[in-house]
Amino acid sequence: MKYRSNRIRPETVINEQIDPAWRSFLQTPPFPEYTSGHSVVSASVATLLTKLSGGGFAYTDTTEVEFGVPKRSFKSFKHAASEAAISRLYGGIHFRDAIENGMRQGENIGNYAISKLNVQ
């Protein structure tokens, strides 16, 4: 999908139209913007994990505490996936439609994997 669209990233638009000196805190990947890979992967894994866990699985992530990032609590895998996806908008990496369509694409992939694995 990415190499069929070849869309520029928000950072390019911001630099050309708003502020040439603006830089994202996140590194801008060297490939097309559409769709958001983080959104696709996060949503597909969240869909599969939700099916496997029976849903309603709340958890707290402490993997980054040692690096000074506070622990994060999530109501569900989908909640965590949505947050991972929207972070790409805040970082100037993706436009909203790339995120939203990526989330839908990821859900479809997760459901496809569930159907192929015959997960009940």
Side-chain angles (χ1 to χ4, degrees):
M1 181 75 89
K2 281 188 176 289
Y3 288 97
R4 281 193 247 158
S5 64
N6 200 26
R7 281 185 19 179
I8 61 172
R9 293 189 178 267
E11 182 175 25
T12 303
V13 175
I14 293 166
N15 290 158
E16 290 177 359
Q17 305 293 324
I18 300 169
D19 181 357
W22 186 86
R23 297 291 176 263
S24 173
F25 289 113
L26 304 174
Q27 181 180 7
T28 299
F31 43 79
E33 185 269 345
Y34 188 87
T35 58
S36 164
H38 274 73
S39 301
V40 173
V41 171
S42 297
S44 61
V45 171
T47 300
L48 186 57
L49 288 174
T50 298
K51 181 68 173 179
L52 293 173
S53 70
F57 187 88
Y59 66 98
T60 300
D61 175 17
T62 60
T63 57
E64 300 291 324
V65 169
E66 68 180 290
F67 304 108
V69 177
K71 62 184 178 179
R72 305 291 316 281
S73 294
F74 299 98
K75 300 173 197 166
S76 64
F77 294 118
K78 186 172 183 174
H79 176 212
S82 295
E83 196 167 290
I86 200 66
S87 74
R88 310 311 279 174
L89 176 76
Y90 300 144
I93 303 300
H94 288 289
F95 293 106
R96 184 172 295 275
D97 68 323
I99 294 164
E100 292 171 354
N101 291 335
M103 290 288 289
R104 278 192 290 280
Q105 185 181 15
E107 282 185 42
N108 289 338
I109 292 168
N111 286 323
Y112 178 78
I114 288 166
S115 74
K116 290 299 180 184
L117 295 171
N118 292 319
V119 176
Q120 302 299 320

